[in-house]
Amino acid sequence: MPNYGYHLARAKGAWFRRLYRARLGAIARRSIPVSATLPFEIFSYSGENMVPEQVASIRSLLRFAGRPELFTVVSDGTHSERSLELLRRLDPCLRVSPASAWQPPDIPPAARPYFATHPTGKQLALIMSLPRNGPALYVDSDVLFFPGARILSSLPGQSDGPPLYLGDCRLSADERLYRGENEKKNPVNTGVLFLTRKIDWSKSIARLLELEAAPNFFTNQTMTHLAMTAAGAAPLDPAKFVLQLDDQFEFSDRYAGPDLVLRHYVNPVRHKFWSTLAREKFSS
């Protein structure tokens, strides 16, 4: 029997995304009530096909968490000039930067093409470059913030504190990089990372260089997992920082609510990003 609720939720999400995209110019001109400031910089990596999600994500952050010292959108190179200008207009804290400006130094020559040309390699190059000027929060463009995000201002800012990460709900990895089952425990998702200090990426780069075939979509996430684990990273509270797929085939968003900080709407539940945003109390 067809799952009508699931198909209706997908149709609702697709409809609202089309409407949101069509109104991006007007949305970007709307003022956003900002009641707090965040004592760290925020970075995101995205491209032209994710502009609607990026705009909605940034607006939800400003509304529910506050204004960071600086919010940098790092472009993968596909943004149109119109989209870049639209992003800059969202808020005075916004700036846009090319991915080429975020290539980490001291990368072995054999690894440089991955960081310079591969879509997720360029994302990893940004993450490896953080933080630059004090604590930094990295968020993907498909992360939506909720009223509980007001607690983000209290994230620990001390350089001796552990890095923090969004825990994945299942292993999504380039398993060629692992050396045993123990390395697969507590998988890190690159959708949300909080870095107070530079971490050591040498182990991850060494594993990358050992690959006999080309990196894949999840190579960057696996390299991040290895580096974060070696740095003693801790997971963010999974009840408030959510990455889940178990409501994929339900009409409603099981996790959206006033106590939630954020949810990373990865591909299988991306439609819920929009169907949830369409609800009046979470609209922006």
Side-chain angles (χ1 to χ4, degrees), residues 43 45 72-77 95-105 115-116 122 125-130 132:
F43 297 82
Y45 172 81
T72 302
V73 176
V74 175
S75 172
D76 66 359
R95 74 164 180 169
V96 181
S97 179
S100 59
W102 297 89
Q103 292 300 303
F115 294 104
K122 290 189 284 187
L126 166 62
I127 292 169
M128 289 174 64
S129 300
L130 301 178
R132 282 196 172 179

Side-chain angles (χ1 to χ4, degrees), residues 23-89:
R23 300 182 62 203
L24 275 175
I27 290 168
R29 291 191 293 271
R30 284 188 206 159
S31 62
I32 307 169
V34 179
S35 58
T37 57
L38 300 174
F40 47 79
E41 296 184 6
I42 300 180
F43 297 82
S44 190
Y45 172 81
S46 65
E48 180 68 24
N49 66 330
M50 292 295 286
V51 169
E53 284 81 2
Q54 184 75 82
V55 170
S57 176
I58 292 169
R59 288 182 62 86
S60 68
L61 171 93
L62 293 169
R63 179 183 178 191
F64 293 124
R67 179 177 287 116
E69 298 173 359
L70 189 67
F71 194 119
T72 302
V73 176
V74 175
S75 172
D76 66 359
T78 63
H79 284 104
S80 67
E81 284 301 319
R82 178 181 179 274
S83 293
L84 293 175
E85 182 56 31
L86 183 147
L87 289 169
R88 294 186 187 103
R89 291 203 312 266

